[in-house]
């Protein structure tokens, strides 16, 4: 079957493609008079007409999407039937994913929403043979009124473009990236946890999908977005995590790819991380590979050290990922009256710190209960957040969930 030729606005509760009984829908099934939307739905549609992405917008600010709908797309509005109270940080297969391809000309085709599932790749694909791939991570939150909030999606788009330049790849424009995220989130709206129960984790991928044998850029690239509802990243939840400083293995080197979110950066930490977890630690804190004395980051988080009113974090210098949560926490901390220093932070500064905490999309803010360095354990907080980490966590998460006014203009609201 052929895909629909354009992302024609699917009306609420109408099916596009095969019906729920497995039969193809007749053309008459697409017309409103064949279904009976509620009076409230009709009033809502009149006040906020659906745009091409299904995002409710006022008529003065229409939204367009560079995407088509696969013939398996249907809109379902009820919440998924899962245990929202016990979400961990693991993959739950949702309804739809977004795909878009780019050839040698560097231009991405129209994207498509299709059923979540496996993809087909040549065994000679650039991503499989030479690791030419990037990924991003961001979240969507459900507000009390049912509307959806995205947090700084344009920052993820910009970071992917920066990484793509380093990895010799074309990348979607910021507009293409953001609109693709919106379309994917709305197509999986029923998987967004109720307010306060978690978030919808959004994973964009950019990879060399074309076949290549010799070491060279891929002739084709695929951009994919999939999503999963998630709870806390660490098994401790918001309880303090326990880190061990790694002084032999290193996450990144100067001139390498530590400052971009390429897939290879993360496989490299698995050996040290697995050894640490076998000894009862939550994760690993890495040092710089030149002097072996300055803090870099945890396996997938940035780190902050608190002393009095001063919050210090390692400076971005090519070996540390420029985390979007990191950037946001710095701005929040300064707005709350803290002095924030981005600089070289020596490992010895951990010995007399008041608090230590980590930041990242998955963890948001995670308090550190202890750090062990060369056999010496330093303890910070027992059983919960330190005062500073709690304050910053509260402000940022309340902003992300729409519980306070967004004076930073960081959130994007979908209805």
């Amino acid at each position: 079957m052929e895909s629909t030729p354009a992302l024609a606005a699917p009306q609420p509760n109408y099916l596009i493609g095969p019906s729920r009984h497995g039969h193809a829908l007749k053309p008459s099934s697409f017309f409103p008079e064949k279904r009976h939307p509620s009076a409230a739905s009709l009033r809502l549609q009149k006040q906020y007409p659906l745009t091409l992405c299904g995002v409710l917008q006022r008529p003065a600010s229409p939204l367009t999407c560079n995407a088509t709908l696969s013939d398996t797309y249907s809109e379902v509005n009820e919440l998924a039937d899962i245990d929202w109270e016990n979400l961990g940080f693991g993959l739950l297969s949702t309804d739809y994913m977004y795909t878009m391809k780019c050839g040698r000309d560097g231009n991405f085709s129209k994207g498509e929403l299709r059923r979540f599932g496996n993809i087909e790749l040549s065994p000679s694909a650039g991503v499989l043979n030479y690791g030419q791939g990037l990924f991003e991570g961001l979240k969507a939150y459900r507000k009390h009124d049912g509307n959806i909030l995205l947090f700084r999606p344009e920052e993820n788009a910009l970071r992917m473009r920066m990484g793509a330049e380093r990895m010799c790849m074309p990348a979607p424009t910021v507009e293409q990236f953001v609109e693709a995220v919106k379309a994917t989130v709305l197509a999986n709206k029923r998987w967004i946890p109720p307010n306060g129960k978690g978030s919808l984790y959004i994973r964009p991928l950019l990879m060399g999908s074309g076949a290549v044998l010799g070491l060279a850029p891929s002739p084709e690239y695929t951009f994919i977005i999939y999503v999963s509802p998630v709870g806390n990243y660490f098994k401790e939840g918001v309880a303090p995590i326990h880190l061990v400083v790694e002084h032999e293995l290193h996450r990144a080197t100067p001139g390498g790819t530590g400052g971009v979110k390429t897939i290879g950066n993360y496989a490299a930490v698995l050996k040290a991380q697995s050894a640490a977890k076998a000894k009862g630690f939550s994760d690993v804190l890495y040092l710089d590979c030149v002097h072996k004395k300055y803090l870099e980051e945890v396996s997938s988080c940035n780190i902050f050290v608190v002393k009095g009113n001063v919050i210090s974090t390692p400076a971005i210098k090519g070996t540390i990922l420029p985390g979007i949560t990191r950037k946001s926490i710095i701005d929040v901390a300064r707005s709350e009256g803290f002095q924030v220093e981005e600089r070289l932070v020596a490992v010895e500064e951990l010995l007399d710190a008041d608090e230590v905490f980590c930041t990242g999309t998955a963890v948001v803010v995670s308090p550190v209960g202890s750090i062990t360095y060369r056999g010496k354990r330093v303890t910070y907080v027992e059983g919960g957040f330190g005062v500073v980490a709690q304050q910053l966590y509260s402000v940022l998460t309340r902003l992300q969930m729409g519980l306070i006014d967004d004076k930073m203009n960081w959130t994007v609201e979908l209805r």
Side-chain angles (χ1 to χ4, degrees):
M1 289 186 293
E2 295 181 352
S3 299
T4 355
L7 188 54
Q11 299 299 313
N13 302 318
Y14 306 156
L15 294 174
I16 296 178
S19 73
R20 66 190 68 197
H21 302 297
H23 305 297
L25 289 177
K26 297 178 180 179
S28 60
S29 301
F30 291 95
F31 290 97
E33 60 267 23
K34 297 300 180 180
R35 305 294 291 269
H36 300 284
S38 67
S41 175
L42 291 172
R43 286 196 301 272
L44 192 61
Q45 292 179 45
K46 185 176 180 181
Q47 183 178 3
Y48 298 109
L50 280 165
T51 65
L52 294 183
C53 247
V55 183
L56 288 167
Q57 296 280 342
R58 296 185 183 277
S61 56
L63 174 68
T64 58
C65 265
N66 185 29
T68 59
L69 288 170
S70 75
D71 54 11
T72 59
Y73 180 88
S74 65
E75 185 167 302
V76 182
N77 293 317
E78 71 272 11
L79 280 177
D81 184 20
I82 61 176
D83 184 2
W84 299 109
E85 300 294 335
N86 294 293
L87 279 178
F89 198 90
L91 178 67
L92 290 175
S93 297
T94 53
D95 295 325
Y96 300 101
M97 62 184 188
Y98 182 100
T99 63
M100 183 166 65
K101 289 187 178 291
C102 173
R104 294 181 185 275
D105 61 1
N107 297 317
F108 281 88
S109 62
K110 285 187 177 181
E112 180 182 65
L113 284 168
R114 57 171 56 188
R115 283 287 183 182
F116 177 85
N118 294 339
I119 61 173
E120 185 175 291
L121 283 175
S122 165
S124 190
V127 67
L128 298 179
N129 290 263
Y130 301 116
Q132 197 183 25
L134 297 163
F135 73 95
E136 278 296 326
L138 62 158
K139 288 180 176 179
Y141 297 84
R142 189 183 296 274
K143 295 174 61 182
H144 283 298
D145 62 8
N147 291 348
I148 309 305
L149 286 181
L150 301 176
F151 186 70
R152 310 190 77 175
E154 72 289 342
E155 292 288 337
N156 294 90
L158 289 168
R159 188 169 65 180
M160 176 168 275
R161 289 183 63 80
M162 179 185 72
E165 194 279 330
R166 176 65 178 83
M167 299 296 291
C168 201
M169 305 168 71
T173 65
V174 172
E175 182 180 11
Q176 285 175 322
F177 182 102
V178 173
E179 300 310 324
V181 167
K182 290 177 181 178
T184 311
V185 168
L186 288 167
N188 293 284
K189 187 174 181 179
R190 72 191 189 102
W191 295 94
I192 304 175
N195 185 266
K197 303 296 183 183
S199 59
L200 187 73
Y201 189 85
I202 306 161
R203 172 53 58 83
L205 291 167
L206 178 63
M207 59 185 174
S209 52
V212 57
L213 186 60
L215 178 58
S218 175
E220 178 195 80
Y221 296 87
T222 300
F223 177 68
I224 293 177
I225 303 176
Y226 67 91
V227 299
S228 178
V230 296
N232 292 309
Y233 181 77
F234 288 112
K235 67 179 181 180
E236 295 89 344
V238 294
I241 61 173
H242 303 280
L243 304 178
V244 60
V245 177
E246 174 60 49
H247 50 83
E248 293 297 332
L249 300 178
H250 299 280
R251 178 190 164 274
T253 60
T257 59
V260 299
K261 208 168 177 65
T262 182
I263 58 176
N265 291 348
Y266 295 85
V269 308
L270 295 177
K271 181 178 178 65
Q273 188 186 65
S274 298
K277 289 185 175 182
K279 296 177 181 177
F281 297 103
S282 309
D283 214 327
V284 176
L285 173 57
Y286 292 90
L287 301 178
D288 77 288
C289 70
V290 177
H291 306 285
K292 298 187 178 183
K293 64 175 291 186
Y294 296 110
L295 306 184
E296 293 238 308
E297 60 181 84
V298 181
S299 300
S300 58
C301 311
N302 295 115
I303 192 159
F304 289 78
V305 179
V306 181
K307 185 66 176 178
N309 195 54
V310 179
I311 303 175
S312 302
T313 191
I316 301 297
K317 55 182 182 0
T319 56
I320 298 172
L321 188 73
I324 295 164
T325 307
R326 172 191 181 276
K327 181 178 181 178
S328 304
I329 281 292
I330 289 173
D331 289 343
V332 168
R334 286 173 174 158
S335 72
E336 293 288 304
F338 293 97
Q339 178 183 337
V340 181
E341 297 178 352
E342 297 179 73
R343 59 178 177 81
L344 293 175
V345 182
V347 66
E348 289 80 13
E349 294 185 50
L350 297 172
L351 302 179
D352 64 345
D354 297 333
E355 292 179 41
V356 178
F357 62 88
C358 298
T359 65
T361 298
V363 303
V364 187
V365 176
S366 184
V368 175
S370 73
I371 293 180
T372 300
Y373 175 56
R374 295 189 179 276
K376 182 176 182 179
R377 179 183 174 113
V378 181
T379 302
Y380 304 104
V381 293
E382 295 289 346
F385 278 97
V387 174
V388 175
Q390 175 66 70
Q391 181 178 345
L392 301 180
Y393 173 82
S394 177
V395 173
L396 186 60
T397 54
R398 285 170 62 82
L399 190 155
Q400 289 175 327
M401 292 187 287
L403 299 176
I404 58 176
D405 290 338
D406 179 13
K407 297 179 181 178
M408 302 287 194
N409 197 30
W410 284 344
T411 56
V412 176
E413 185 165 2
L414 312 179
R415 297 178 175 87

mmCIF file of all heavy atoms in Angstrom, residues 223-249:
data_model
loop_
_atom_site.group_PDB
_atom_site.id
_atom_site.type_symbol
_atom_site.label_atom_id
_atom_site.label_comp_id
_atom_site.label_asym_id
_atom_site.label_seq_id
_atom_site.Cartn_x
_atom_site.Cartn_y
_atom_site.Cartn_z
ATOM 1 N N PHE A 223 17.424 9.641 9.653
ATOM 2 C CA PHE A 223 17.074 10.325 10.902
ATOM 3 C C PHE A 223 15.829 9.639 11.443
ATOM 4 O O PHE A 223 14.839 9.466 10.735
ATOM 5 C CB PHE A 223 16.804 11.797 10.613
ATOM 6 C CG PHE A 223 16.351 12.604 11.803
ATOM 7 C CD1 PHE A 223 17.212 12.868 12.855
ATOM 8 C CD2 PHE A 223 15.060 13.123 11.857
ATOM 9 C CE1 PHE A 223 16.799 13.619 13.944
ATOM 10 C CE2 PHE A 223 14.640 13.877 12.940
ATOM 11 C CZ PHE A 223 15.508 14.130 13.985
ATOM 12 N N ILE A 224 15.898 9.209 12.683
ATOM 13 C CA ILE A 224 14.793 8.474 13.323
ATOM 14 C C ILE A 224 14.496 9.113 14.679
ATOM 15 O O ILE A 224 15.413 9.561 15.370
ATOM 16 C CB ILE A 224 15.162 6.986 13.525
ATOM 17 C CG1 ILE A 224 15.289 6.279 12.180
ATOM 18 C CG2 ILE A 224 14.143 6.268 14.412
ATOM 19 C CD1 ILE A 224 15.718 4.824 12.295
ATOM 20 N N ILE A 225 13.234 9.149 15.047
ATOM 21 C CA ILE A 225 12.858 9.521 16.414
ATOM 22 C C ILE A 225 11.926 8.451 16.959
ATOM 23 O O ILE A 225 10.940 8.087 16.310
ATOM 24 C CB ILE A 225 12.137 10.883 16.482
ATOM 25 C CG1 ILE A 225 13.003 11.995 15.886
ATOM 26 C CG2 ILE A 225 11.780 11.225 17.931
ATOM 27 C CD1 ILE A 225 12.312 13.354 15.841
ATOM 28 N N TYR A 226 12.253 7.919 18.128
ATOM 29 C CA TYR A 226 11.320 7.049 18.830
ATOM 30 C C TYR A 226 11.199 7.542 20.272
ATOM 31 O O TYR A 226 11.998 8.373 20.724
ATOM 32 C CB TYR A 226 11.740 5.579 18.769
ATOM 33 C CG TYR A 226 13.011 5.228 19.512
ATOM 34 C CD1 TYR A 226 12.977 4.824 20.847
ATOM 35 C CD2 TYR A 226 14.251 5.277 18.874
ATOM 36 C CE1 TYR A 226 14.141 4.491 21.528
ATOM 37 C CE2 TYR A 226 15.415 4.941 19.545
ATOM 38 C CZ TYR A 226 15.359 4.552 20.867
ATOM 39 O OH TYR A 226 16.509 4.224 21.540
ATOM 40 N N VAL A 227 10.207 7.063 20.984
ATOM 41 C CA VAL A 227 9.925 7.572 22.330
ATOM 42 C C VAL A 227 9.588 6.425 23.273
ATOM 43 O O VAL A 227 9.233 5.327 22.834
ATOM 44 C CB VAL A 227 8.749 8.584 22.319
ATOM 45 C CG1 VAL A 227 9.072 9.798 21.460
ATOM 46 C CG2 VAL A 227 7.463 7.918 21.843
ATOM 47 N N SER A 228 9.701 6.700 24.565
ATOM 48 C CA SER A 228 9.317 5.721 25.584
ATOM 49 C C SER A 228 8.973 6.448 26.870
ATOM 50 O O SER A 228 9.678 7.385 27.263
ATOM 51 C CB SER A 228 10.474 4.746 25.847
ATOM 52 O OG SER A 228 10.139 3.821 26.877
ATOM 53 N N PRO A 229 7.894 6.065 27.549
ATOM 54 C CA PRO A 229 7.617 6.656 28.868
ATOM 55 C C PRO A 229 8.642 6.171 29.877
ATOM 56 O O PRO A 229 9.010 4.990 29.874
ATOM 57 C CB PRO A 229 6.207 6.139 29.203
ATOM 58 C CG PRO A 229 6.070 4.881 28.409
ATOM 59 C CD PRO A 229 6.882 5.065 27.167
ATOM 60 N N VAL A 230 9.126 7.070 30.724
ATOM 61 C CA VAL A 230 10.169 6.704 31.678
ATOM 62 C C VAL A 230 9.913 7.320 33.046
ATOM 63 O O VAL A 230 9.232 8.333 33.176
ATOM 64 C CB VAL A 230 11.576 7.149 31.194
ATOM 65 C CG1 VAL A 230 11.964 6.432 29.914
ATOM 66 C CG2 VAL A 230 11.638 8.660 31.012
ATOM 67 N N GLY A 231 10.520 6.676 34.051
ATOM 68 C CA GLY A 231 10.574 7.227 35.393
ATOM 69 C C GLY A 231 12.000 7.648 35.690
ATOM 70 O O GLY A 231 12.680 8.238 34.849
ATOM 71 N N ASN A 232 12.502 7.309 36.877
ATOM 72 C CA ASN A 232 13.847 7.713 37.285
ATOM 73 C C ASN A 232 14.924 6.898 36.565
ATOM 74 O O ASN A 232 14.767 5.700 36.329
ATOM 75 C CB ASN A 232 14.011 7.555 38.799
ATOM 76 C CG ASN A 232 13.155 8.542 39.558
ATOM 77 O OD1 ASN A 232 13.177 9.735 39.297
ATOM 78 N ND2 ASN A 232 12.382 8.036 40.512
ATOM 79 N N TYR A 233 16.046 7.556 36.270
ATOM 80 C CA TYR A 233 17.147 6.916 35.564
ATOM 81 C C TYR A 233 17.909 5.955 36.470
ATOM 82 O O TYR A 233 18.156 4.809 36.112
ATOM 83 C CB TYR A 233 18.100 7.988 35.026
ATOM 84 C CG TYR A 233 19.271 7.429 34.251
ATOM 85 C CD1 TYR A 233 19.103 6.984 32.942
ATOM 86 C CD2 TYR A 233 20.543 7.341 34.819
ATOM 87 C CE1 TYR A 233 20.166 6.463 32.221
ATOM 88 C CE2 TYR A 233 21.613 6.825 34.100
ATOM 89 C CZ TYR A 233 21.415 6.391 32.801
ATOM 90 O OH TYR A 233 22.477 5.873 32.104
ATOM 91 N N PHE A 234 18.311 6.428 37.633
ATOM 92 C CA PHE A 234 19.023 5.567 38.572
ATOM 93 C C PHE A 234 18.028 4.761 39.401
ATOM 94 O O PHE A 234 16.947 5.247 39.746
ATOM 95 C CB PHE A 234 19.917 6.396 39.498
ATOM 96 C CG PHE A 234 21.126 6.974 38.820
ATOM 97 C CD1 PHE A 234 21.249 8.336 38.633
ATOM 98 C CD2 PHE A 234 22.148 6.146 38.350
ATOM 99 C CE1 PHE A 234 22.367 8.874 38.001
ATOM 100 C CE2 PHE A 234 23.264 6.670 37.727
ATOM 101 C CZ PHE A 234 23.379 8.036 37.550
ATOM 102 N N LYS A 235 18.392 3.534 39.741
ATOM 103 C CA LYS A 235 17.499 2.690 40.536
ATOM 104 C C LYS A 235 17.236 3.287 41.908
ATOM 105 O O LYS A 235 16.236 2.982 42.552
ATOM 106 C CB LYS A 235 18.081 1.284 40.668
ATOM 107 C CG LYS A 235 19.371 1.201 41.493
ATOM 108 C CD LYS A 235 19.874 -0.225 41.602
ATOM 109 C CE LYS A 235 21.140 -0.310 42.450
ATOM 110 N NZ LYS A 235 21.636 -1.696 42.573
ATOM 111 N N GLU A 236 18.143 4.182 42.341
ATOM 112 C CA GLU A 236 17.951 4.847 43.630
ATOM 113 C C GLU A 236 16.840 5.887 43.575
ATOM 114 O O GLU A 236 16.418 6.417 44.597
ATOM 115 C CB GLU A 236 19.251 5.536 44.083
ATOM 116 C CG GLU A 236 20.398 4.586 44.384
ATOM 117 C CD GLU A 236 21.245 4.277 43.172
ATOM 118 O OE1 GLU A 236 20.795 4.534 42.032
ATOM 119 O OE2 GLU A 236 22.358 3.758 43.345
ATOM 120 N N GLY A 237 16.361 6.205 42.361
ATOM 121 C CA GLY A 237 15.349 7.245 42.214
ATOM 122 C C GLY A 237 15.963 8.597 42.494
ATOM 123 O O GLY A 237 16.983 8.957 41.908
ATOM 124 N N VAL A 238 15.367 9.344 43.418
ATOM 125 C CA VAL A 238 15.942 10.630 43.795
ATOM 126 C C VAL A 238 16.811 10.500 45.043
ATOM 127 O O VAL A 238 17.263 11.498 45.596
ATOM 128 C CB VAL A 238 14.843 11.696 44.023
ATOM 129 C CG1 VAL A 238 14.134 12.006 42.724
ATOM 130 C CG2 VAL A 238 13.846 11.234 45.089
ATOM 131 N N ALA A 239 17.042 9.273 45.474
ATOM 132 C CA ALA A 239 17.967 9.060 46.583
ATOM 133 C C ALA A 239 19.391 9.301 46.080
ATOM 134 O O ALA A 239 19.666 9.191 44.888
ATOM 135 C CB ALA A 239 17.825 7.648 47.130
ATOM 136 N N PRO A 240 20.314 9.649 46.960
ATOM 137 C CA PRO A 240 21.685 9.929 46.541
ATOM 138 C C PRO A 240 22.346 8.734 45.857
ATOM 139 O O PRO A 240 22.149 7.585 46.263
ATOM 140 C CB PRO A 240 22.394 10.274 47.858
ATOM 141 C CG PRO A 240 21.310 10.726 48.770
ATOM 142 C CD PRO A 240 20.120 9.896 48.410
ATOM 143 N N ILE A 241 23.127 9.030 44.825
ATOM 144 C CA ILE A 241 23.891 7.993 44.139
ATOM 145 C C ILE A 241 25.323 7.978 44.683
ATOM 146 O O ILE A 241 25.767 8.938 45.327
ATOM 147 C CB ILE A 241 23.899 8.205 42.618
ATOM 148 C CG1 ILE A 241 24.540 9.550 42.271
ATOM 149 C CG2 ILE A 241 22.490 8.119 42.065
ATOM 150 C CD1 ILE A 241 24.739 9.756 40.777
ATOM 151 N N HIS A 242 26.025 6.895 44.430
ATOM 152 C CA HIS A 242 27.379 6.728 44.953
ATOM 153 C C HIS A 242 28.336 6.491 43.793
ATOM 154 O O HIS A 242 28.179 5.534 43.034
ATOM 155 C CB HIS A 242 27.399 5.584 45.966
ATOM 156 C CG HIS A 242 26.442 5.799 47.097
ATOM 157 N ND1 HIS A 242 26.732 6.618 48.168
ATOM 158 C CD2 HIS A 242 25.171 5.346 47.294
ATOM 159 C CE1 HIS A 242 25.697 6.649 48.982
ATOM 160 N NE2 HIS A 242 24.745 5.890 48.477
ATOM 161 N N LEU A 243 29.313 7.358 43.664
ATOM 162 C CA LEU A 243 30.230 7.347 42.530
ATOM 163 C C LEU A 243 31.622 6.892 42.945
ATOM 164 O O LEU A 243 32.032 7.079 44.088
ATOM 165 C CB LEU A 243 30.329 8.746 41.913
ATOM 166 C CG LEU A 243 29.024 9.403 41.467
ATOM 167 C CD1 LEU A 243 29.306 10.804 40.938
ATOM 168 C CD2 LEU A 243 28.327 8.555 40.407
ATOM 169 N N VAL A 244 32.344 6.336 41.985
ATOM 170 C CA VAL A 244 33.749 6.013 42.182
ATOM 171 C C VAL A 244 34.538 6.738 41.093
ATOM 172 O O VAL A 244 34.120 6.786 39.937
ATOM 173 C CB VAL A 244 33.996 4.487 42.129
ATOM 174 C CG1 VAL A 244 33.588 3.901 40.779
ATOM 175 C CG2 VAL A 244 35.453 4.164 42.434
ATOM 176 N N VAL A 245 35.664 7.338 41.468
ATOM 177 C CA VAL A 245 36.501 8.052 40.514
ATOM 178 C C VAL A 245 37.385 7.060 39.774
ATOM 179 O O VAL A 245 38.104 6.268 40.393
ATOM 180 C CB VAL A 245 37.364 9.120 41.225
ATOM 181 C CG1 VAL A 245 38.287 9.806 40.210
ATOM 182 C CG2 VAL A 245 36.485 10.145 41.927
ATOM 183 N N GLU A 246 37.339 7.099 38.466
ATOM 184 C CA GLU A 246 38.155 6.226 37.622
ATOM 185 C C GLU A 246 39.418 6.989 37.216
ATOM 186 O O GLU A 246 39.341 8.080 36.655
ATOM 187 C CB GLU A 246 37.366 5.827 36.368
ATOM 188 C CG GLU A 246 38.151 5.040 35.346
ATOM 189 C CD GLU A 246 38.695 3.743 35.893
ATOM 190 O OE1 GLU A 246 37.933 2.972 36.515
ATOM 191 O OE2 GLU A 246 39.916 3.508 35.702
ATOM 192 N N HIS A 247 40.587 6.421 37.517
ATOM 193 C CA HIS A 247 41.830 7.134 37.225
ATOM 194 C C HIS A 247 42.716 6.423 36.214
ATOM 195 O O HIS A 247 43.827 6.887 35.923
ATOM 196 C CB HIS A 247 42.616 7.391 38.522
ATOM 197 C CG HIS A 247 42.789 6.187 39.388
ATOM 198 N ND1 HIS A 247 43.780 5.275 39.184
ATOM 199 C CD2 HIS A 247 42.057 5.750 40.446
ATOM 200 C CE1 HIS A 247 43.684 4.321 40.103
ATOM 201 N NE2 HIS A 247 42.649 4.575 40.874
ATOM 202 N N GLU A 248 42.244 5.304 35.658
ATOM 203 C CA GLU A 248 43.019 4.601 34.639
ATOM 204 C C GLU A 248 42.359 4.710 33.262
ATOM 205 O O GLU A 248 43.011 5.052 32.276
ATOM 206 C CB GLU A 248 43.186 3.122 35.024
ATOM 207 C CG GLU A 248 44.054 2.911 36.260
ATOM 208 C CD GLU A 248 45.484 3.385 36.069
ATOM 209 O OE1 GLU A 248 45.972 3.375 34.911
ATOM 210 O OE2 GLU A 248 46.115 3.780 37.065
ATOM 211 N N LEU A 249 41.084 4.389 33.207
ATOM 212 C CA LEU A 249 40.348 4.497 31.949
ATOM 213 C C LEU A 249 39.795 5.919 31.806
ATOM 214 O O LEU A 249 39.468 6.573 32.792
ATOM 215 C CB LEU A 249 39.199 3.486 31.906
ATOM 216 C CG LEU A 249 39.611 2.013 32.020
ATOM 217 C CD1 LEU A 249 38.376 1.120 32.016
ATOM 218 C CD2 LEU A 249 40.557 1.630 30.884
#
